[in-house]
Amino acid sequence: MTGAFYLASLVAVVSTGLVITSLNAVHALLYLIVSFLGVAVVFFLLGAPFIAMLEIIIYAGAIMVLFVFVVMMLNLGRQAIEQESAWLMPRIWVGPSILSATLLVELLYLFGFGVLSQAGGIMGQAPKQVSVVLLGPYLIGVELASMLLLPGLVGAYHLGRDLRNEDA
Amino acid sequence: MNEVASRLPIIAGVLTMVVTLSALLIWLERRLLGFWQERYGPNRVGPFGLLQVVADMIKIFMKEDWVPPFADKAVFVIAPAVIIVTVLMSFAVVPFTPSIVVADLNVGLLFFLAMSSLSAYSVVLAGWASNNKYSLLGGLRASAQMLSYEVFMGLSLMGVVMLTGSFNLGDIVEAQRDLWFCIPQILGFIIFLIAGLAETKRIPFDIPEAEAELVAGFHTEYSGMKFGMFFVGEYLGIILISAMITVLFFGGWQGPWLPPAVWFWIKTFLFICLFILLRAALPRLRFDQLMTFGWKVMLPLALVNLAVTGALVLIGHPPK
């Protein structure tokens, strides 16, 4: 089990790195999907199968399809790849590297002091427990999220309406 | 490790069975289509034309495995594998009998939905990687279609989940001991059937590969065994959706006298025949009709089904 955990984490970390360094936008998106799948396996092994499945259905299965869809429609060519490779100059790496290194050091520090050794905080979360918590103490969060989604939906519908048919 | 070893024969058996069946299904479909259109269909090679499948397979393996020079090679090769892998993975949670199930997950139904949402990538990536305008159009249509129909495919199944109180497919079958869910969940069943047709991209929903307008849609540039994988993937998808209909709405392995596995395959076989009959009987929809139908008819119906089922469950078992 521990071996599977580290393997899945390794896949997630490596593919996330490749998301940043790939020059081709679709390849980067594919690596991002692999990274989500790796994270889903990690969730599964930590004893949260419900979260793992939602990770695949929502992130890997729905949101990323939309991303791929948009990138497909943009039809990025060789020009975009050249632009990307210009953006990935060593000079550009400095700022993000410092920020990420800070976070990494902080994470290692926390691990070292055993604060995060109880990763089992999400152990054994069956679908029922998750729903009880979600619609109990965190109900307001769920409601706020749904309120946020509704204006998005209405807005998208407004932008996408067919003016020609309305005039007729 | 011992548990893994005890699962291996089941995994091997399930894999062999579904792959063989999907090959046989190609023959079955051609024979049934022939029967319904008052002609013979393939009947020359072997008894009843059964060896036609073998002949076709030998032919397709001998074909040149061609990757167009303008294609994105890596993605082009991965795309057909994605559909086979995701569909075969879904079979892992299907309970064929009380004892024959590869992975008895407590989120089995969600696993099936996750795999079916991942299978959309195969078509989308094939369309993009081919670098061909017909393929791209097919890929775009496929991604829009599969995204829209996944939404209420999931919603239509939540009624079943509410009545059972579990995502485990074995529990769902057990809960149908007295009454198959096709009766209380008749609306859910119809919605799932339509969504399943759209997910497998069968007529009347085969718009991503509409031959009349898009050559062959997303698999225009594919040949040889890569095309074969899309083809087999489609038939595996039909078996999967039929098996899921059986499990979710028609009592799975349950039935009198006959052994459970026989009941399971009889029911599944009937739904496979229904899929082929629909292909023989219906014309192809137009793309805007497909989207309008999905979002303006099926989604509200699925939501109504969800709300009514929820209300009835609450009346039947008020929370303490």
Side-chain angles (χ1 to χ4, degrees), chain A residues 32-90:
Chain A
L32 189 52
I33 295 162
V34 174
S35 155
F36 281 136
L37 294 180
V39 173
V41 174
V42 168
F43 274 130
F44 194 89
L45 291 172
L46 284 177
F50 186 63
I51 308 293
M53 290 305 131
L54 287 190
E55 175 96 12
I56 298 180
I57 294 175
I58 296 173
Y59 286 97
I63 295 179
M64 293 315 293
V65 173
L66 280 179
F67 273 55
V68 174
F69 187 84
V70 171
V71 171
M72 263 167 72
M73 293 224 275
L74 293 177
N75 195 18
L76 304 167
R78 192 159 300 281
Q79 215 182 347
I81 293 181
E82 278 160 18
Q83 191 185 19
E84 278 284 326
S85 61
W87 282 346
L88 289 179
M89 300 286 271

Side-chain angles (χ1 to χ4, degrees), chain B:
Chain B
M1 280 301 114
N2 218 356
E3 200 186 347
V4 176
S6 69
R7 294 264 168 212
L8 279 179
I10 298 182
I11 297 174
V14 169
L15 271 182
T16 321
M17 189 160 57
V18 293
V19 174
T20 316
L21 276 176
S22 70
L24 277 178
L25 205 55
I26 300 172
W27 171 82
L28 178 78
E29 169 155 44
R30 293 178 65 189
R31 284 301 297 230
L32 280 179
L33 281 178
F35 173 70
W36 283 315
Q37 295 166 353
E38 296 204 51
R39 56 188 175 83
Y40 285 116
N43 66 347
R44 294 287 134 181
V45 195
F48 307 106
L50 257 174
L51 293 180
Q52 182 69 44
V53 177
V54 181
D56 286 345
M57 256 198 272
I58 292 171
K59 179 186 162 197
I60 215 161
F61 271 116
M62 295 294 164
K63 290 245 183 184
E64 187 186 352
D65 194 25
W66 162 252
V67 179
F70 46 80
D72 186 320
K73 295 212 169 44
V75 181
F76 189 85
V77 174
I78 291 169
V82 170
I83 189 160
I84 298 272
V85 169
T86 51
V87 177
L88 285 179
M89 288 281 278
S90 307
F91 277 107
V93 290
V94 175
F96 296 96
T97 71
S99 53
I100 301 180
V101 52
V102 176
D104 196 18
L105 288 182
N106 64 349
V107 286
L109 189 59
L110 291 174
F111 186 81
F112 159 73
L113 289 174
M115 286 303 128
S116 81
S117 67
L118 285 184
S119 71
Y121 283 113
S122 135
V123 184
V124 175
L125 294 177
W128 177 80
S130 298
N131 214 348
N132 166 321
K133 60 183 90 162
Y134 295 114
S135 303
L136 187 66
L137 276 174
L140 285 179
R141 287 180 177 194
S143 50
Q145 171 176 337
M146 295 182 90
L147 263 182
S148 320
Y149 278 67
E150 250 157 41
V151 173
F152 54 81
M153 180 187 230
L155 280 179
S156 70
L157 297 181
M158 289 309 125
V160 171
V161 174
M162 273 194 242
L163 290 179
T164 313
S166 167
F167 285 112
N168 183 307
L169 292 173
D171 292 350
I172 289 175
V173 175
E174 283 297 333
Q176 301 177 66
R177 194 162 283 282
D178 303 319
L179 183 65
W180 290 354
F181 283 153
C182 61
I183 296 168
Q185 282 294 311
I186 179 78
L187 198 57
F189 162 58
I190 293 167
I191 295 169
F192 182 72
L193 179 70
I194 293 172
L197 271 175
E199 282 291 307
T200 48
K201 300 179 287 298
R202 295 281 295 175
I203 289 175
F205 298 112
D206 68 335
I207 297 165
E209 45 184 301
E211 297 91 338
E213 22 186 313
L214 290 183
V215 190
F218 61 89
H219 58 60
T220 305
E221 297 289 348
Y222 281 86
S223 63
M225 203 45 219
K226 292 205 194 74
F227 165 76
M229 280 167 91
F230 278 119
F231 203 58
V232 172
E234 180 180 328
Y235 285 97
L236 281 173
I238 296 172
I239 300 179
L240 177 67
I241 296 290
S242 307
M244 288 307 288
I245 291 175
T246 306
V247 166
L248 294 167
F249 297 101
F250 286 84
W253 64 72
Q254 294 181 4
W257 308 306
L258 294 172
V262 175
W263 269 116
F264 181 88
W265 284 111
I266 287 177
K267 293 174 189 172
T268 307
F269 179 76
L270 287 178
F271 285 107
I272 292 172
C273 292
L274 177 70
F275 268 65
I276 298 171
L277 178 61
L278 285 173
R279 172 177 171 180
L282 293 174
R284 180 182 300 138
L285 289 170
R286 225 171 48 219
F287 192 65
D288 59 317
Q289 289 170 331
L290 172 98
M291 291 315 246
T292 315
F293 180 68
W295 287 107
K296 294 194 180 161
V297 181
M298 300 312 278
L299 183 65
L301 272 180
L303 286 173
V304 167
N305 182 46
L306 190 68
V308 171
T309 311
L312 290 180
V313 169
L314 267 186
I315 293 169
H317 311 274
K320 282 139 210 135

Side-chain angles (χ1 to χ4, degrees), chain A residues 17 20-21 87-98:
Chain A
I20 304 168
T21 52
W87 282 346
L88 289 179
M89 300 286 271
R91 195 161 46 84
I92 310 253
W93 284 97
V94 177
S97 304
I98 292 173

Side-chain angles (χ1 to χ4, degrees), chain A residues 1-160:
Chain A
M1 274 306 195
T2 323
F5 172 82
Y6 282 114
L7 200 61
S9 321
L10 185 72
V11 169
V13 171
V14 169
S15 56
T16 310
L18 286 167
V19 173
I20 304 168
T21 52
S22 321
L23 298 178
N24 186 321
V26 172
H27 290 183
L29 286 176
L30 286 180
Y31 282 123
L32 189 52
I33 295 162
V34 174
S35 155
F36 281 136
L37 294 180
V39 173
V41 174
V42 168
F43 274 130
F44 194 89
L45 291 172
L46 284 177
F50 186 63
I51 308 293
M53 290 305 131
L54 287 190
E55 175 96 12
I56 298 180
I57 294 175
I58 296 173
Y59 286 97
I63 295 179
M64 293 315 293
V65 173
L66 280 179
F67 273 55
V68 174
F69 187 84
V70 171
V71 171
M72 263 167 72
M73 293 224 275
L74 293 177
N75 195 18
L76 304 167
R78 192 159 300 281
Q79 215 182 347
I81 293 181
E82 278 160 18
Q83 191 185 19
E84 278 284 326
S85 61
W87 282 346
L88 289 179
M89 300 286 271
R91 195 161 46 84
I92 310 253
W93 284 97
V94 177
S97 304
I98 292 173
L99 293 177
S100 328
T102 318
L103 279 179
L104 183 67
V105 169
E106 190 180 345
L107 195 67
L108 291 176
Y109 175 78
L110 290 174
F111 271 130
F113 279 79
V115 185
L116 291 186
S117 65
Q118 294 177 350
I122 51 168
M123 275 293 181
Q125 293 300 324
K128 197 162 187 173
Q129 280 99 304
V130 176
S131 336
V132 167
V133 174
L134 213 53
L135 294 180
Y138 296 108
L139 182 64
I140 188 114
V142 175
E143 287 296 324
L144 282 176
S146 67
M147 273 181 218
L148 191 67
L149 286 173
L150 186 65
L153 196 68
V154 173
Y157 190 76
H158 176 73
L159 288 174

